[in-house]
Amino acid sequence: MKTIASLIALSILAHGVVGCGDSERASSGANEPLTVSNGQFFEGSFPSDQGGPSVTSTSGIRSTVIPAGTVSKTISGDAANSALSVAVALNGLGSGYWVVPVGPPDQDTKGELSWKVTCNFAHDLPPGAQRLLFAAANREGQFGAQRVLDVTATPFAPQGHVVASLSWGNDADVDLHLISPSGKELDPKHISSTEIDPGTMMPAPGAGTLDRDSLANCVPDGRRNENVVWPTDASEPEAGTYSVYVHLFNGCGRPATNFVFDLYIDGHLVENEHQAGVLLDTDADNGVGPGLYVTQFTL
């Protein structure tokens, strides 16, 4: 049973103001494997069934495959009309759970209330089958039965013999730019580290390939991540030294963005190749130059 202070916290939360309880201390939850942008974090075990209202659906999700590092993934559904809030957590991971207030009645249901969580998943989210837990609470702080949503987490860095990975911290249009030992430039407009074979129109052997142009034209994609992947079952990468640049194509209205570059070989992080930095909006050039020089690595 929730304490009176916790009940007050839930009630205040439903009106958009932060509160905290005595037995379940609210904290930022910033280092949790799951963070919820529109919710409040409570430390402690996920609430058990206390005879409260039910979460009646978790249908508002586009894909149950969740790459680690995904940001702003929306999951929505409905709850019984007596619900005041909905709690969510990753089963067996983290030190607490998140609570969001319910929204207005869903016009497609008979009096049920809508809810929505905006989820951010950590870069080190364990890959494989995971379970998201949901439970609704009423005004008295009584939670109902748990509802389970099965999802599949995939690794933050894609699988491959060599992976050069760039991630950044907000919705700016940032690009990974490599220059191969032979001088071939790779970027979102030239996605291979080798020349294209004119006979097959495929990259030449030993090619690394860019997996995506994340946040192209400032359109959020929930990733903020680009990777150049040399597959495990392909020819060895071109030998020599690769130069790494990080290019701010468009700041998208952000004054600055932090970035991190990492190199993985056979799934293992190469520690001395970890690089971090900051790009300012004044660095944006809409593709005129290669960007900021960051580091070199040798294969």
Side-chain angles (χ1 to χ4, degrees), residues 56 71 84 87 99 110 144 154 165 298:
T56 57
V71 296
L84 178 71
V99 177
K110 296 180 179 179
T154 58
S165 181
T298 301

Side-chain angles (χ1 to χ4, degrees), residues 59-261:
S59 57
I61 182 171
R62 289 186 177 182
S63 173
T64 56
V65 177
I66 300 175
T70 295
V71 296
S72 300
K73 184 175 183 65
T74 298
I75 304 173
S76 59
D78 295 310
N81 60 13
S82 60
L84 178 71
S85 58
V86 171
V88 58
L90 276 165
N91 187 36
L93 299 176
S95 62
Y97 57 94
W98 297 84
V99 177
V100 298
V102 296
D106 189 334
Q107 296 181 354
D108 295 328
T109 62
K110 296 180 179 179
E112 293 181 349
L113 300 176
S114 62
W115 56 266
K116 179 176 72 173
V117 290
T118 303
C119 299
N120 310 299
F121 296 90
H123 289 172
D124 57 356
L125 181 69
Q130 301 290 348
R131 288 193 152 188
L132 282 165
L133 305 179
F134 298 87
N138 57 23
R139 194 167 295 276
E140 288 71 37
Q142 297 170 320
F143 282 88
Q146 297 178 5
R147 187 179 183 94
V148 174
L149 176 64
D150 291 311
V151 298
T152 301
T154 58
F156 174 68
Q159 302 301 300
H161 173 41
V162 179
V163 178
S165 181
L166 174 70
S167 299
W168 57 97
N170 59 25
D171 285 343
D173 186 354
V174 181
D175 294 322
L176 177 59
H177 186 159
L178 297 184
I179 300 179
S180 73
S182 60
K184 175 72 169 62
E185 296 194 33
L186 178 152
D187 57 34
K189 293 182 178 179
H190 312 89
I191 64 170
S192 172
S193 66
T194 66
E195 299 293 340
I196 301 298
D197 187 326
T200 63
M201 297 307 295
M202 298 293 290
T209 303
L210 186 69
D211 62 353
R212 69 176 63 86
D213 183 8
S214 184
L215 264 149
N217 300 314
C218 298
V219 178
D221 60 0
R223 293 293 292 172
R224 303 174 187 165
N225 168 252
E226 295 178 0
N227 305 283
V228 178
V229 181
W230 286 263
T232 302
D233 57 355
S235 302
E236 283 293 311
E238 178 186 357
T241 299
Y242 293 76
S243 297
V244 180
Y245 294 80
V246 177
H247 177 228
L248 182 61
F249 189 89
N250 191 326
C252 306
R254 275 68 179 179
T257 185
N258 299 317
F259 68 84
V260 174
F261 173 81

